[in-house]
């Protein structure tokens, strides 16, 4: 009985270590430090929040991804004005170095 409990605990620890190690490798694979990853996540969140607050943009239809301070916008807009406004909003967020606007206008 004690052997089975010990084996289960050992297996759980091994799986936990593997999960933590795999997550760390995912950040390194993208050539990104943990701090940079966290900064990018904060930028993405800030851009999405500002898109949500702005009545001229549809935060649901616009996707935001950030890598090393470069924001990529994708998804759909109802007009060229909405597409342009989304890029302006993203560029106004702190620590954004560049904005790639891949939003497609779909009436």
């Amino acid at each position: 009985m004690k052997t089975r409990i010990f084996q289960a605990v050992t297996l759980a620890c091994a799986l936990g270590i593997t999960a933590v190690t795999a997550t760390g490798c995912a950040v390194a694979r993208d050539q990104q430090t943990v701090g940079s990853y966290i900064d990018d996540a904060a930028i993405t969140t800030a851009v999405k929040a500002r898109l949500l607050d702005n009545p001229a943009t549809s935060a649901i239809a616009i996707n935001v991804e950030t890598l090393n301070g470069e924001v990529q916008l994708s998804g759909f807009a109802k007009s060229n004005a909405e597409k342009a406004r989304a890029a302006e909003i993203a560029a106004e967020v702190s620590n954004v170095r560049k904005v790639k606007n891949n939003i497609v206008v779909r009436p």
Side-chain angles (χ1 to χ4, degrees):
M1 182 77 166
K2 288 183 181 180
T3 305
R4 285 188 179 210
I5 293 172
F6 179 74
Q7 288 175 340
V9 169
T10 303
L11 179 62
C13 289
L15 290 174
I17 290 170
T18 301
V20 169
T21 304
T23 304
C25 291
V27 171
R29 192 173 340 136
D30 292 335
Q31 302 300 314
Q32 198 175 15
T33 65
V34 173
S36 177
Y37 179 81
I38 292 170
D39 291 344
D40 287 344
I43 290 170
T44 299
T45 301
V47 172
K48 284 296 271 185
R50 290 186 184 189
L51 290 173
L52 186 63
D53 284 342
N54 192 302
T57 59
S58 174
I60 295 171
I62 298 172
N63 300 312
V64 180
E65 293 184 31
T66 308
L67 180 62
N68 297 323
E70 293 186 13
V71 174
Q72 179 175 327
L73 302 175
S74 61
F76 300 98
K78 294 178 183 172
S79 67
N80 283 322
E82 181 182 5
K83 177 180 177 176
R85 184 65 187 129
E88 290 171 3
I89 289 169
E92 292 169 357
V93 172
S94 296
N95 299 320
V96 171
R97 296 181 335 157
K98 183 178 179 182
V99 176
K100 296 179 183 177
N101 192 345
N102 296 328
I103 296 173
V104 175
V105 176
R106 185 174 67 179

